[in-house]
Amino acid sequence: MKILLINSPLFRDGKSFDNEDSLPPLGIGYIATYIQNNGVNVELIDAVEERISLLDLTKTINEKK
């Protein structure tokens, strides 16, 4: 089983907030660590930090299916 966790940039594109600081998604990170420690393959995408637009994020999700 594989699980994809996403910190999603709701309601904006990836380039409109280039100068905005972001905090690490600690809660999602804790969840990812717990899942991984229980033998499940997990990937975390921080779309806010990586400035991934919703369109590109949708494409990435579809590619990983």
Side-chain angles (χ1 to χ4, degrees):
M1 177 189 318
K2 294 182 182 181
I3 296 177
L4 178 62
L5 300 175
I6 302 168
N7 185 25
S8 176
L10 298 176
F11 309 116
R12 64 177 186 188
D13 66 21
K15 296 180 173 71
S16 63
F17 289 87
D18 284 339
N19 61 352
E20 181 180 319
D21 291 333
S22 67
L23 297 172
L26 293 178
I28 297 173
Y30 291 137
I31 293 168
T33 301
Y34 179 83
I35 292 169
Q36 187 173 28
N37 287 342
N38 284 281
V40 178
N41 186 0
V42 63
E43 182 179 350
L44 170 60
I45 297 176
D46 187 356
V48 175
E49 175 64 27
E50 296 177 33
R51 308 288 194 239
I52 300 172
S53 69
L54 290 176
L55 180 61
D56 290 339
L57 184 58
T58 302
K59 289 177 186 176
T60 301
I61 293 167
N62 287 329
E63 289 171 359
K64 293 184 179 288
K65 281 187 179 180

